[in-house]
Amino acid sequence: MTENEARPHRCGGDHDVPRTPAGVSRRTLLRGAVVGGGALTVGGLVLPTSAYAVPALYNPFTSYAVTGPWDPPNHNGIDYGMAVGTALPACGAGTIENIYDNGTGGHTVTIHHAEGYRSQYMHLSQFRLSNGASVAAGTVVGYSGGAVGAPGAGNSTGPHLHWHIYNPSGSRINPLSVVGGGSPPPSSSSSGLTLQKIAGAGGYTGALDGAPGVNTWMGVQWVVKGYAYTGPIDGVPGTNTYKGLQRLAQRGGYGGTVDGVMGVNSWKGVQNICKRFGYGGPVDGAPGTNTYAAMQRMAKLGGYTGPADGALGVNSWMGLQRLFTGHGYTGPIDGAPGKNTYMGLQNMAKLGGYSGPVDGLPGDYTWAALAKLVV
C-alpha cells in the first residue's frame, strides 16, 4: 500500500453544482443508450415491487479502505482511499456526463442509470470518456485524483475517491444501500435470450446462448423498425398486411417482389423465420397448421395472447399487424444498439405490460415485460 493509499484523506466539503456540459442537454443524457456493442448488464427478470426498479449496480471499490463513511449531514457520500490515477470502473450501465471543476467536488463524472438513478465520482484527475458515451458496468470512466491543490481536486485533503448516488427523486443516498456484491453483474443470460428470441423475427439464426452480439442486435433492430405496414390494426389481412409478411419473409431468404401476393417462395421465407418460433416442418412453401401455429407464437411480439393452435383469427392477425408496424425505430440496421434501439424495445415492452418511461434506459420492468412476449 502506498503512502497515498494508506492515509485517510477525505473530502473537505460535500457539495456539488449541477451543470449540463456544453453541447449536450440533460434530456439527451438521460435518454442516452445503456451500453455499447450489444453488452447487456441488467438484473434478473423478476418484477420489482417499487414504482421504479433499482438498476443493476455493484460496488467496484471493495478492495479499497473506506476513509470517509456515509455520515449525513456531515458527509453525504463514501470516500475510498486510493492513489492518484487509479482506474474507476462504472458501478452500473448508463450514460456519461463529465462536469469539470464541479465546485468543492472538483472534476466529477456522473453516470446516468436506468429508472432515474445516477452515480457520481468526485475529485477525478482525468476523465476517460466523452459526454453522452454509453457504458456497461465495469467500464473505466475516469481516474481518481484528490491531491491537494491539483487540477480537479476540489477541496479534497488528499488522494481519494468520493462516491454517492442520487435516487429518482433527486436525493443523495448511500451507494451501499442499493448495490450488490463486489464484482460486476454478469450480462444477464435470461435477458440476452429474450433478445435473441425477439431477433428471430428479424432473421436472426444464430445460437440461443444468451450472449447477444451484432447479429442478434441487427435482428432486434429489424423487429423494432417493423416491416413498413401502415394500415389499421384490425385483424383483417389484406394486400398491405401481406406485403408486411413478404418483407418479413425477406429476412428468411425471400428475394421476390413485395406485391402482397403470397406465393410459394414467400411462404418459404416465412417458414424459415418460423423455425425460431417452434416450426419443425419442411420449408416447402405450403403453409399448414404448424406454420400458422409458429406465426401465432411470433404474433406474441405484437401483443397476441391467444393459443398457438394453428387457426389464424382476428387476434392473431392483429398481433402480426402490430409486429409489421414496428415500434418507432427509424435508425440503421447496424447491430450497434443505441438510444433509439432501446426506446423501440421499451415501446414493444408496453405490449407486455410495461408502463414506465420510454427513455432508452431499460430497467427490470422493461425486460420483464419483453420476456412475457417470448414465452
Side-chain angles (χ1 to χ4, degrees):
M1 179 178 291
T2 69
E3 179 182 356
N4 283 340
E5 290 174 315
R7 295 175 63 188
H9 296 301
R10 291 186 53 175
C11 301
D14 195 40
H15 303 291
D16 63 326
V17 180
R19 299 181 186 175
T20 300
V24 181
S25 70
R26 189 168 297 273
R27 178 181 178 85
T28 297
L29 288 162
L30 290 172
R31 291 164 64 89
V34 175
V35 291
L40 196 62
T41 54
V42 299
L45 295 176
V46 179
L47 280 171
T49 57
S50 59
Y52 291 101
V54 177
L57 304 175
Y58 83 108
N59 181 1
F61 310 115
T62 55
S63 61
Y64 299 95
V66 173
T67 58
W70 176 262
D71 183 27
N74 301 311
H75 188 235
N76 294 319
I78 299 178
D79 290 347
Y80 290 93
M82 58 183 67
V84 171
T86 300
L88 303 176
C91 62
T95 306
I96 294 299
E97 175 187 5
N98 298 316
I99 308 174
Y100 289 82
D101 294 321
N102 184 25
T104 59
H107 291 348
T108 300
V109 62
T110 302
I111 308 168
H112 293 269
H113 305 294
E115 313 294 4
Y117 285 82
R118 53 194 170 99
S119 302
Q120 287 193 323
Y121 300 163
M122 290 183 163
H123 312 302
L124 273 63
S125 62
Q126 183 181 346
F127 298 110
R128 181 172 181 266
L129 304 173
S130 60
N131 285 322
S134 299
V135 297
T139 301
V140 174
V141 299
Y143 300 92
S144 68
V148 176
N155 67 345
S156 172
T157 64
H160 76 284
L161 168 74
H162 173 99
W163 178 30
H164 58 251
I165 289 178
Y166 285 97
N167 65 18
S169 68
S171 299
R172 279 200 200 188
I173 58 175
N174 185 347
L176 301 186
S177 69
V178 293
V179 299
S183 60
S187 178
S188 170
S189 61
S190 55
S191 299
L193 187 60
T194 295
L195 283 170
Q196 288 173 327
K197 289 179 178 179
I198 291 170
Y204 174 66
T205 59
L208 296 176
D209 58 5
V214 171
N215 290 333
T216 298
W217 280 110
M218 288 178 69
V220 169
Q221 287 171 328
W222 275 112
V223 173
V224 294
K225 190 166 190 173
Y227 295 100
Y229 176 69
T230 57
I233 309 297
D234 58 5
V236 181
T239 299
N240 288 334
T241 301
Y242 288 120
K243 283 183 177 180
L245 191 58
Q246 285 177 315
R247 294 186 185 97
L248 172 71
Q250 289 176 332
R251 308 306 309 147
Y254 173 61
T257 304
V258 177
D259 56 7
V261 180
M262 297 294 294
V264 171
N265 290 331
S266 297
W267 281 113
K268 283 183 177 180
V270 172
Q271 287 172 323
N272 277 326
I273 295 293
C274 284
K275 288 179 180 179
R276 276 303 168 94
F277 296 91
Y279 178 65
V283 179
D284 57 6
T289 300
N290 290 333
T291 300
Y292 298 140
M295 289 174 65
Q296 287 174 312
R297 295 185 190 98
M298 183 164 48
K300 290 183 178 180
L301 298 177
Y304 174 64
T305 59
D309 58 5
L312 289 174
V314 170
N315 290 332
S316 300
W317 279 111
M318 287 177 68
L320 290 169
Q321 287 170 329
R322 288 194 190 96
L323 174 64
F324 300 157
T325 300
H327 300 282
Y329 178 67
T330 58
I333 308 298
D334 58 4
K339 175 184 67 175
N340 291 331
T341 301
Y342 288 110
M343 289 174 68
L345 283 169
Q346 287 177 314
N347 280 324
M348 186 178 185
K350 292 179 180 180
L351 299 174
Y354 175 66
S355 59
V358 178
D359 56 6
L361 295 170
D364 286 351
Y365 268 131
T366 300
W367 299 114
L370 289 171
K372 292 180 180 179
L373 303 179
V374 295
V375 294

PDB file of all heavy atoms in Angstrom, residues 15-54:
ATOM      1  N   HIS A  15     -20.488  19.390  -1.398  1.00  0.00           N
ATOM      2  CA  HIS A  15     -21.487  19.987  -2.272  1.00  0.00           C
ATOM      3  C   HIS A  15     -21.062  19.830  -3.719  1.00  0.00           C
ATOM      4  O   HIS A  15     -19.889  19.941  -4.051  1.00  0.00           O
ATOM      5  CB  HIS A  15     -21.666  21.473  -1.947  1.00  0.00           C
ATOM      6  CG  HIS A  15     -22.030  21.700  -0.522  1.00  0.00           C
ATOM      7  ND1 HIS A  15     -23.246  21.344   0.010  1.00  0.00           N
ATOM      8  CD2 HIS A  15     -21.300  22.221   0.505  1.00  0.00           C
ATOM      9  CE1 HIS A  15     -23.276  21.662   1.301  1.00  0.00           C
ATOM     10  NE2 HIS A  15     -22.105  22.188   1.619  1.00  0.00           N
ATOM     11  N   ASP A  16     -22.020  19.585  -4.574  1.00  0.00           N
ATOM     12  CA  ASP A  16     -21.739  19.594  -5.998  1.00  0.00           C
ATOM     13  C   ASP A  16     -22.679  20.573  -6.665  1.00  0.00           C
ATOM     14  O   ASP A  16     -23.768  20.840  -6.190  1.00  0.00           O
ATOM     15  CB  ASP A  16     -21.883  18.198  -6.619  1.00  0.00           C
ATOM     16  CG  ASP A  16     -23.289  17.663  -6.528  1.00  0.00           C
ATOM     17  OD1 ASP A  16     -23.980  17.949  -5.525  1.00  0.00           O
ATOM     18  OD2 ASP A  16     -23.695  16.950  -7.445  1.00  0.00           O
ATOM     19  N   VAL A  17     -22.228  21.114  -7.774  1.00  0.00           N
ATOM     20  CA  VAL A  17     -23.010  22.096  -8.501  1.00  0.00           C
ATOM     21  C   VAL A  17     -23.575  21.425  -9.740  1.00  0.00           C
ATOM     22  O   VAL A  17     -22.814  20.964 -10.592  1.00  0.00           O
ATOM     23  CB  VAL A  17     -22.130  23.289  -8.915  1.00  0.00           C
ATOM     24  CG1 VAL A  17     -22.963  24.311  -9.677  1.00  0.00           C
ATOM     25  CG2 VAL A  17     -21.478  23.909  -7.693  1.00  0.00           C
ATOM     26  N   PRO A  18     -24.906  21.306  -9.866  1.00  0.00           N
ATOM     27  CA  PRO A  18     -25.459  20.662 -11.045  1.00  0.00           C
ATOM     28  C   PRO A  18     -25.210  21.494 -12.293  1.00  0.00           C
ATOM     29  O   PRO A  18     -25.520  22.670 -12.343  1.00  0.00           O
ATOM     30  CB  PRO A  18     -26.959  20.572 -10.731  1.00  0.00           C
ATOM     31  CG  PRO A  18     -27.211  21.656  -9.746  1.00  0.00           C
ATOM     32  CD  PRO A  18     -25.951  21.787  -8.942  1.00  0.00           C
ATOM     33  N   ARG A  19     -24.610  20.858 -13.289  1.00  0.00           N
ATOM     34  CA  ARG A  19     -24.336  21.538 -14.539  1.00  0.00           C
ATOM     35  C   ARG A  19     -24.635  20.598 -15.684  1.00  0.00           C
ATOM     36  O   ARG A  19     -24.585  19.394 -15.544  1.00  0.00           O
ATOM     37  CB  ARG A  19     -22.863  21.960 -14.635  1.00  0.00           C
ATOM     38  CG  ARG A  19     -22.400  22.926 -13.550  1.00  0.00           C
ATOM     39  CD  ARG A  19     -20.938  23.282 -13.761  1.00  0.00           C
ATOM     40  NE  ARG A  19     -20.423  24.090 -12.658  1.00  0.00           N
ATOM     41  CZ  ARG A  19     -19.160  24.455 -12.542  1.00  0.00           C
ATOM     42  NH1 ARG A  19     -18.285  24.085 -13.472  1.00  0.00           N
ATOM     43  NH2 ARG A  19     -18.754  25.178 -11.523  1.00  0.00           N
ATOM     44  N   THR A  20     -24.891  21.187 -16.818  1.00  0.00           N
ATOM     45  CA  THR A  20     -25.048  20.418 -18.041  1.00  0.00           C
ATOM     46  C   THR A  20     -23.898  20.782 -18.960  1.00  0.00           C
ATOM     47  O   THR A  20     -23.676  21.958 -19.231  1.00  0.00           O
ATOM     48  CB  THR A  20     -26.383  20.736 -18.731  1.00  0.00           C
ATOM     49  OG1 THR A  20     -27.436  20.417 -17.828  1.00  0.00           O
ATOM     50  CG2 THR A  20     -26.549  19.906 -20.000  1.00  0.00           C
ATOM     51  N   PRO A  21     -23.117  19.806 -19.442  1.00  0.00           N
ATOM     52  CA  PRO A  21     -21.971  20.118 -20.282  1.00  0.00           C
ATOM     53  C   PRO A  21     -22.393  20.804 -21.565  1.00  0.00           C
ATOM     54  O   PRO A  21     -23.463  20.549 -22.104  1.00  0.00           O
ATOM     55  CB  PRO A  21     -21.360  18.744 -20.560  1.00  0.00           C
ATOM     56  CG  PRO A  21     -22.473  17.783 -20.352  1.00  0.00           C
ATOM     57  CD  PRO A  21     -23.314  18.382 -19.277  1.00  0.00           C
ATOM     58  N   ALA A  22     -21.526  21.647 -22.076  1.00  0.00           N
ATOM     59  CA  ALA A  22     -21.828  22.383 -23.301  1.00  0.00           C
ATOM     60  C   ALA A  22     -22.088  21.431 -24.445  1.00  0.00           C
ATOM     61  O   ALA A  22     -21.348  20.480 -24.661  1.00  0.00           O
ATOM     62  CB  ALA A  22     -20.659  23.309 -23.644  1.00  0.00           C
ATOM     63  N   GLY A  23     -23.162  21.715 -25.173  1.00  0.00           N
ATOM     64  CA  GLY A  23     -23.463  20.930 -26.361  1.00  0.00           C
ATOM     65  C   GLY A  23     -24.231  19.661 -26.104  1.00  0.00           C
ATOM     66  O   GLY A  23     -24.597  18.958 -27.036  1.00  0.00           O
ATOM     67  N   VAL A  24     -24.464  19.328 -24.844  1.00  0.00           N
ATOM     68  CA  VAL A  24     -25.199  18.112 -24.531  1.00  0.00           C
ATOM     69  C   VAL A  24     -26.288  18.455 -23.530  1.00  0.00           C
ATOM     70  O   VAL A  24     -25.991  18.881 -22.417  1.00  0.00           O
ATOM     71  CB  VAL A  24     -24.282  17.016 -23.931  1.00  0.00           C
ATOM     72  CG1 VAL A  24     -25.082  15.770 -23.642  1.00  0.00           C
ATOM     73  CG2 VAL A  24     -23.134  16.717 -24.878  1.00  0.00           C
ATOM     74  N   SER A  25     -27.534  18.285 -23.898  1.00  0.00           N
ATOM     75  CA  SER A  25     -28.625  18.608 -22.990  1.00  0.00           C
ATOM     76  C   SER A  25     -28.795  17.507 -21.970  1.00  0.00           C
ATOM     77  O   SER A  25     -28.470  16.346 -22.218  1.00  0.00           O
ATOM     78  CB  SER A  25     -29.924  18.774 -23.773  1.00  0.00           C
ATOM     79  OG  SER A  25     -30.370  17.529 -24.264  1.00  0.00           O
ATOM     80  N   ARG A  26     -29.299  17.864 -20.806  1.00  0.00           N
ATOM     81  CA  ARG A  26     -29.550  16.849 -19.783  1.00  0.00           C
ATOM     82  C   ARG A  26     -30.582  15.848 -20.283  1.00  0.00           C
ATOM     83  O   ARG A  26     -30.512  14.664 -19.983  1.00  0.00           O
ATOM     84  CB  ARG A  26     -30.033  17.510 -18.493  1.00  0.00           C
ATOM     85  CG  ARG A  26     -30.100  16.553 -17.310  1.00  0.00           C
ATOM     86  CD  ARG A  26     -30.298  17.329 -16.027  1.00  0.00           C
ATOM     87  NE  ARG A  26     -29.191  18.224 -15.746  1.00  0.00           N
ATOM     88  CZ  ARG A  26     -28.102  17.840 -15.086  1.00  0.00           C
ATOM     89  NH1 ARG A  26     -27.958  16.602 -14.689  1.00  0.00           N
ATOM     90  NH2 ARG A  26     -27.136  18.703 -14.845  1.00  0.00           N
ATOM     91  N   ARG A  27     -31.546  16.312 -21.083  1.00  0.00           N
ATOM     92  CA  ARG A  27     -32.531  15.394 -21.655  1.00  0.00           C
ATOM     93  C   ARG A  27     -31.846  14.345 -22.523  1.00  0.00           C
ATOM     94  O   ARG A  27     -32.159  13.157 -22.461  1.00  0.00           O
ATOM     95  CB  ARG A  27     -33.557  16.186 -22.475  1.00  0.00           C
ATOM     96  CG  ARG A  27     -34.608  15.312 -23.172  1.00  0.00           C
ATOM     97  CD  ARG A  27     -35.556  16.188 -23.972  1.00  0.00           C
ATOM     98  NE  ARG A  27     -36.534  15.398 -24.687  1.00  0.00           N
ATOM     99  CZ  ARG A  27     -37.658  14.962 -24.176  1.00  0.00           C
ATOM    100  NH1 ARG A  27     -37.932  15.228 -22.906  1.00  0.00           N
ATOM    101  NH2 ARG A  27     -38.506  14.255 -24.899  1.00  0.00           N
ATOM    102  N   THR A  28     -30.867  14.823 -23.323  1.00  0.00           N
ATOM    103  CA  THR A  28     -30.136  13.880 -24.171  1.00  0.00           C
ATOM    104  C   THR A  28     -29.400  12.861 -23.336  1.00  0.00           C
ATOM    105  O   THR A  28     -29.380  11.677 -23.640  1.00  0.00           O
ATOM    106  CB  THR A  28     -29.150  14.646 -25.065  1.00  0.00           C
ATOM    107  OG1 THR A  28     -29.886  15.500 -25.926  1.00  0.00           O
ATOM    108  CG2 THR A  28     -28.302  13.686 -25.894  1.00  0.00           C
ATOM    109  N   LEU A  29     -28.776  13.320 -22.256  1.00  0.00           N
ATOM    110  CA  LEU A  29     -28.036  12.399 -21.403  1.00  0.00           C
ATOM    111  C   LEU A  29     -28.942  11.369 -20.773  1.00  0.00           C
ATOM    112  O   LEU A  29     -28.639  10.192 -20.717  1.00  0.00           O
ATOM    113  CB  LEU A  29     -27.288  13.179 -20.310  1.00  0.00           C
ATOM    114  CG  LEU A  29     -26.082  13.980 -20.821  1.00  0.00           C
ATOM    115  CD1 LEU A  29     -25.689  15.035 -19.802  1.00  0.00           C
ATOM    116  CD2 LEU A  29     -24.922  13.056 -21.098  1.00  0.00           C
ATOM    117  N   LEU A  30     -30.085  11.829 -20.298  1.00  0.00           N
ATOM    118  CA  LEU A  30     -30.992  10.921 -19.622  1.00  0.00           C
ATOM    119  C   LEU A  30     -31.605   9.919 -20.573  1.00  0.00           C
ATOM    120  O   LEU A  30     -32.029   8.838 -20.157  1.00  0.00           O
ATOM    121  CB  LEU A  30     -32.097  11.715 -18.924  1.00  0.00           C
ATOM    122  CG  LEU A  30     -31.641  12.518 -17.710  1.00  0.00           C
ATOM    123  CD1 LEU A  30     -32.776  13.410 -17.227  1.00  0.00           C
ATOM    124  CD2 LEU A  30     -31.154  11.621 -16.598  1.00  0.00           C
ATOM    125  N   ARG A  31     -31.663  10.265 -21.856  1.00  0.00           N
ATOM    126  CA  ARG A  31     -32.262   9.375 -22.826  1.00  0.00           C
ATOM    127  C   ARG A  31     -31.216   8.629 -23.635  1.00  0.00           C
ATOM    128  O   ARG A  31     -31.496   8.050 -24.668  1.00  0.00           O
ATOM    129  CB  ARG A  31     -33.170  10.164 -23.778  1.00  0.00           C
ATOM    130  CG  ARG A  31     -34.410  10.687 -23.106  1.00  0.00           C
ATOM    131  CD  ARG A  31     -35.066  11.758 -23.944  1.00  0.00           C
ATOM    132  NE  ARG A  31     -35.540  11.230 -25.217  1.00  0.00           N
ATOM    133  CZ  ARG A  31     -36.748  10.707 -25.411  1.00  0.00           C
ATOM    134  NH1 ARG A  31     -37.583  10.618 -24.405  1.00  0.00           N
ATOM    135  NH2 ARG A  31     -37.119  10.266 -26.593  1.00  0.00           N
ATOM    136  N   GLY A  32     -29.957   8.638 -23.136  1.00  0.00           N
ATOM    137  CA  GLY A  32     -28.877   8.020 -23.881  1.00  0.00           C
ATOM    138  C   GLY A  32     -28.954   6.510 -23.867  1.00  0.00           C
ATOM    139  O   GLY A  32     -29.734   5.898 -23.158  1.00  0.00           O
ATOM    140  N   ALA A  33     -28.092   5.889 -24.653  1.00  0.00           N
ATOM    141  CA  ALA A  33     -28.059   4.430 -24.734  1.00  0.00           C
ATOM    142  C   ALA A  33     -27.506   3.850 -23.457  1.00  0.00           C
ATOM    143  O   ALA A  33     -26.746   4.486 -22.747  1.00  0.00           O
ATOM    144  CB  ALA A  33     -27.185   4.002 -25.911  1.00  0.00           C
ATOM    145  N   VAL A  34     -27.883   2.610 -23.209  1.00  0.00           N
ATOM    146  CA  VAL A  34     -27.439   1.960 -21.988  1.00  0.00           C
ATOM    147  C   VAL A  34     -26.042   1.413 -22.138  1.00  0.00           C
ATOM    148  O   VAL A  34     -25.150   1.671 -21.357  1.00  0.00           O
ATOM    149  CB  VAL A  34     -28.408   0.832 -21.602  1.00  0.00           C
ATOM    150  CG1 VAL A  34     -27.889   0.076 -20.406  1.00  0.00           C
ATOM    151  CG2 VAL A  34     -29.763   1.414 -21.272  1.00  0.00           C
ATOM    152  N   VAL A  35     -25.780   0.632 -23.148  1.00  0.00           N
ATOM    153  CA  VAL A  35     -24.474   0.032 -23.338  1.00  0.00           C
ATOM    154  C   VAL A  35     -24.153   0.033 -24.802  1.00  0.00           C
ATOM    155  O   VAL A  35     -25.022   0.109 -25.653  1.00  0.00           O
ATOM    156  CB  VAL A  35     -24.425  -1.402 -22.796  1.00  0.00           C
ATOM    157  CG1 VAL A  35     -24.522  -1.416 -21.301  1.00  0.00           C
ATOM    158  CG2 VAL A  35     -25.520  -2.267 -23.392  1.00  0.00           C
ATOM    159  N   GLY A  36     -22.899  -0.069 -25.108  1.00  0.00           N
ATOM    160  CA  GLY A  36     -22.481  -0.138 -26.490  1.00  0.00           C
ATOM    161  C   GLY A  36     -22.085  -1.546 -26.861  1.00  0.00           C
ATOM    162  O   GLY A  36     -21.793  -2.382 -26.021  1.00  0.00           O
ATOM    163  N   GLY A  37     -22.065  -1.815 -28.148  1.00  0.00           N
ATOM    164  CA  GLY A  37     -21.560  -3.076 -28.657  1.00  0.00           C
ATOM    165  C   GLY A  37     -22.397  -4.267 -28.280  1.00  0.00           C
ATOM    166  O   GLY A  37     -21.935  -5.402 -28.302  1.00  0.00           O
ATOM    167  N   GLY A  38     -23.631  -4.070 -27.912  1.00  0.00           N
ATOM    168  CA  GLY A  38     -24.501  -5.199 -27.629  1.00  0.00           C
ATOM    169  C   GLY A  38     -24.368  -5.741 -26.219  1.00  0.00           C
ATOM    170  O   GLY A  38     -24.984  -6.742 -25.883  1.00  0.00           O
ATOM    171  N   ALA A  39     -23.547  -5.115 -25.357  1.00  0.00           N
ATOM    172  CA  ALA A  39     -23.438  -5.607 -23.995  1.00  0.00           C
ATOM    173  C   ALA A  39     -24.726  -5.325 -23.243  1.00  0.00           C
ATOM    174  O   ALA A  39     -25.403  -4.349 -23.498  1.00  0.00           O
ATOM    175  CB  ALA A  39     -22.266  -4.925 -23.284  1.00  0.00           C
ATOM    176  N   LEU A  40     -25.008  -6.175 -22.309  1.00  0.00           N
ATOM    177  CA  LEU A  40     -26.243  -6.021 -21.544  1.00  0.00           C
ATOM    178  C   LEU A  40     -25.942  -6.329 -20.105  1.00  0.00           C
ATOM    179  O   LEU A  40     -25.469  -7.415 -19.785  1.00  0.00           O
ATOM    180  CB  LEU A  40     -27.287  -6.995 -22.088  1.00  0.00           C
ATOM    181  CG  LEU A  40     -28.738  -6.760 -21.701  1.00  0.00           C
ATOM    182  CD1 LEU A  40     -29.196  -5.397 -22.225  1.00  0.00           C
ATOM    183  CD2 LEU A  40     -29.603  -7.852 -22.277  1.00  0.00           C
ATOM    184  N   THR A  41     -26.250  -5.421 -19.184  1.00  0.00           N
ATOM    185  CA  THR A  41     -25.871  -5.616 -17.802  1.00  0.00           C
ATOM    186  C   THR A  41     -27.034  -5.302 -16.890  1.00  0.00           C
ATOM    187  O   THR A  41     -26.939  -4.490 -15.991  1.00  0.00           O
ATOM    188  CB  THR A  41     -24.666  -4.742 -17.432  1.00  0.00           C
ATOM    189  OG1 THR A  41     -24.959  -3.387 -17.756  1.00  0.00           O
ATOM    190  CG2 THR A  41     -23.421  -5.175 -18.188  1.00  0.00           C
ATOM    191  N   VAL A  42     -28.164  -5.952 -17.145  1.00  0.00           N
ATOM    192  CA  VAL A  42     -29.321  -5.765 -16.280  1.00  0.00           C
ATOM    193  C   VAL A  42     -29.451  -6.952 -15.358  1.00  0.00           C
ATOM    194  O   VAL A  42     -28.840  -7.990 -15.540  1.00  0.00           O
ATOM    195  CB  VAL A  42     -30.605  -5.617 -17.120  1.00  0.00           C
ATOM    196  CG1 VAL A  42     -30.504  -4.413 -18.024  1.00  0.00           C
ATOM    197  CG2 VAL A  42     -30.852  -6.871 -17.945  1.00  0.00           C
ATOM    198  N   GLY A  43     -30.311  -6.810 -14.333  1.00  0.00           N
ATOM    199  CA  GLY A  43     -30.528  -7.891 -13.399  1.00  0.00           C
ATOM    200  C   GLY A  43     -31.491  -8.916 -13.944  1.00  0.00           C
ATOM    201  O   GLY A  43     -31.745  -9.017 -15.133  1.00  0.00           O
ATOM    202  N   GLY A  44     -32.047  -9.731 -13.040  1.00  0.00           N
ATOM    203  CA  GLY A  44     -32.963 -10.783 -13.454  1.00  0.00           C
ATOM    204  C   GLY A  44     -34.282 -10.234 -13.915  1.00  0.00           C
ATOM    205  O   GLY A  44     -34.512  -9.039 -13.931  1.00  0.00           O
ATOM    206  N   LEU A  45     -35.190 -11.109 -14.265  1.00  0.00           N
ATOM    207  CA  LEU A  45     -36.454 -10.690 -14.849  1.00  0.00           C
ATOM    208  C   LEU A  45     -37.600 -10.794 -13.854  1.00  0.00           C
ATOM    209  O   LEU A  45     -38.709 -11.142 -14.202  1.00  0.00           O
ATOM    210  CB  LEU A  45     -36.742 -11.540 -16.094  1.00  0.00           C
ATOM    211  CG  LEU A  45     -35.753 -11.333 -17.231  1.00  0.00           C
ATOM    212  CD1 LEU A  45     -36.052 -12.274 -18.366  1.00  0.00           C
ATOM    213  CD2 LEU A  45     -35.809  -9.897 -17.710  1.00  0.00           C
ATOM    214  N   VAL A  46     -37.327 -10.512 -12.586  1.00  0.00           N
ATOM    215  CA  VAL A  46     -38.364 -10.542 -11.571  1.00  0.00           C
ATOM    216  C   VAL A  46     -38.935  -9.147 -11.411  1.00  0.00           C
ATOM    217  O   VAL A  46     -38.191  -8.181 -11.257  1.00  0.00           O
ATOM    218  CB  VAL A  46     -37.801 -11.027 -10.209  1.00  0.00           C
ATOM    219  CG1 VAL A  46     -38.883 -11.021  -9.154  1.00  0.00           C
ATOM    220  CG2 VAL A  46     -37.208 -12.413 -10.365  1.00  0.00           C
ATOM    221  N   LEU A  47     -40.229  -9.017 -11.504  1.00  0.00           N
ATOM    222  CA  LEU A  47     -40.851  -7.699 -11.365  1.00  0.00           C
ATOM    223  C   LEU A  47     -40.587  -7.138  -9.973  1.00  0.00           C
ATOM    224  O   LEU A  47     -40.852  -7.797  -8.973  1.00  0.00           O
ATOM    225  CB  LEU A  47     -42.361  -7.801 -11.585  1.00  0.00           C
ATOM    226  CG  LEU A  47     -42.811  -7.848 -13.040  1.00  0.00           C
ATOM    227  CD1 LEU A  47     -44.294  -8.170 -13.100  1.00  0.00           C
ATOM    228  CD2 LEU A  47     -42.540  -6.525 -13.740  1.00  0.00           C
ATOM    229  N   PRO A  48     -40.068  -5.919  -9.883  1.00  0.00           N
ATOM    230  CA  PRO A  48     -39.846  -5.309  -8.578  1.00  0.00           C
ATOM    231  C   PRO A  48     -41.153  -4.821  -7.986  1.00  0.00           C
ATOM    232  O   PRO A  48     -42.156  -4.701  -8.675  1.00  0.00           O
ATOM    233  CB  PRO A  48     -38.916  -4.135  -8.906  1.00  0.00           C
ATOM    234  CG  PRO A  48     -39.260  -3.783 -10.314  1.00  0.00           C
ATOM    235  CD  PRO A  48     -39.640  -5.085 -10.983  1.00  0.00           C
ATOM    236  N   THR A  49     -41.096  -4.521  -6.703  1.00  0.00           N
ATOM    237  CA  THR A  49     -42.303  -4.062  -6.033  1.00  0.00           C
ATOM    238  C   THR A  49     -42.380  -2.553  -5.960  1.00  0.00           C
ATOM    239  O   THR A  49     -43.422  -2.010  -5.662  1.00  0.00           O
ATOM    240  CB  THR A  49     -42.349  -4.622  -4.597  1.00  0.00           C
ATOM    241  OG1 THR A  49     -41.166  -4.234  -3.906  1.00  0.00           O
ATOM    242  CG2 THR A  49     -42.424  -6.139  -4.628  1.00  0.00           C
ATOM    243  N   SER A  50     -41.263  -1.857  -6.216  1.00  0.00           N
ATOM    244  CA  SER A  50     -41.270  -0.407  -6.151  1.00  0.00           C
ATOM    245  C   SER A  50     -41.729   0.179  -7.471  1.00  0.00           C
ATOM    246  O   SER A  50     -41.801  -0.505  -8.476  1.00  0.00           O
ATOM    247  CB  SER A  50     -39.862   0.095  -5.809  1.00  0.00           C
ATOM    248  OG  SER A  50     -38.942  -0.341  -6.782  1.00  0.00           O
ATOM    249  N   ALA A  51     -42.020   1.493  -7.461  1.00  0.00           N
ATOM    250  CA  ALA A  51     -42.506   2.140  -8.665  1.00  0.00           C
ATOM    251  C   ALA A  51     -41.459   2.080  -9.767  1.00  0.00           C
ATOM    252  O   ALA A  51     -41.770   1.885 -10.928  1.00  0.00           O
ATOM    253  CB  ALA A  51     -42.869   3.583  -8.359  1.00  0.00           C
ATOM    254  N   TYR A  52     -40.191   2.267  -9.392  1.00  0.00           N
ATOM    255  CA  TYR A  52     -39.106   2.152 -10.347  1.00  0.00           C
ATOM    256  C   TYR A  52     -38.058   1.217  -9.753  1.00  0.00           C
ATOM    257  O   TYR A  52     -37.602   1.408  -8.641  1.00  0.00           O
ATOM    258  CB  TYR A  52     -38.489   3.515 -10.656  1.00  0.00           C
ATOM    259  CG  TYR A  52     -39.419   4.406 -11.423  1.00  0.00           C
ATOM    260  CD1 TYR A  52     -40.137   5.415 -10.793  1.00  0.00           C
ATOM    261  CD2 TYR A  52     -39.615   4.222 -12.785  1.00  0.00           C
ATOM    262  CE1 TYR A  52     -41.008   6.220 -11.508  1.00  0.00           C
ATOM    263  CE2 TYR A  52     -40.479   5.024 -13.512  1.00  0.00           C
ATOM    264  CZ  TYR A  52     -41.166   6.016 -12.866  1.00  0.00           C
ATOM    265  OH  TYR A  52     -42.025   6.811 -13.574  1.00  0.00           O
ATOM    266  N   ALA A  53     -37.665   0.241 -10.517  1.00  0.00           N
ATOM    267  CA  ALA A  53     -36.694  -0.728 -10.032  1.00  0.00           C
ATOM    268  C   ALA A  53     -35.322  -0.087  -9.944  1.00  0.00           C
ATOM    269  O   ALA A  53     -34.933   0.693 -10.795  1.00  0.00           O
ATOM    270  CB  ALA A  53     -36.641  -1.923 -10.976  1.00  0.00           C
ATOM    271  N   VAL A  54     -34.576  -0.422  -8.890  1.00  0.00           N
ATOM    272  CA  VAL A  54     -33.190  -0.002  -8.813  1.00  0.00           C
ATOM    273  C   VAL A  54     -32.434  -0.757  -9.891  1.00  0.00           C
ATOM    274  O   VAL A  54     -32.540  -1.975  -9.995  1.00  0.00           O
ATOM    275  CB  VAL A  54     -32.592  -0.326  -7.425  1.00  0.00           C
ATOM    276  CG1 VAL A  54     -31.120   0.048  -7.399  1.00  0.00           C
ATOM    277  CG2 VAL A  54     -33.347   0.407  -6.340  1.00  0.00           C
TER     278      VAL A  54
END
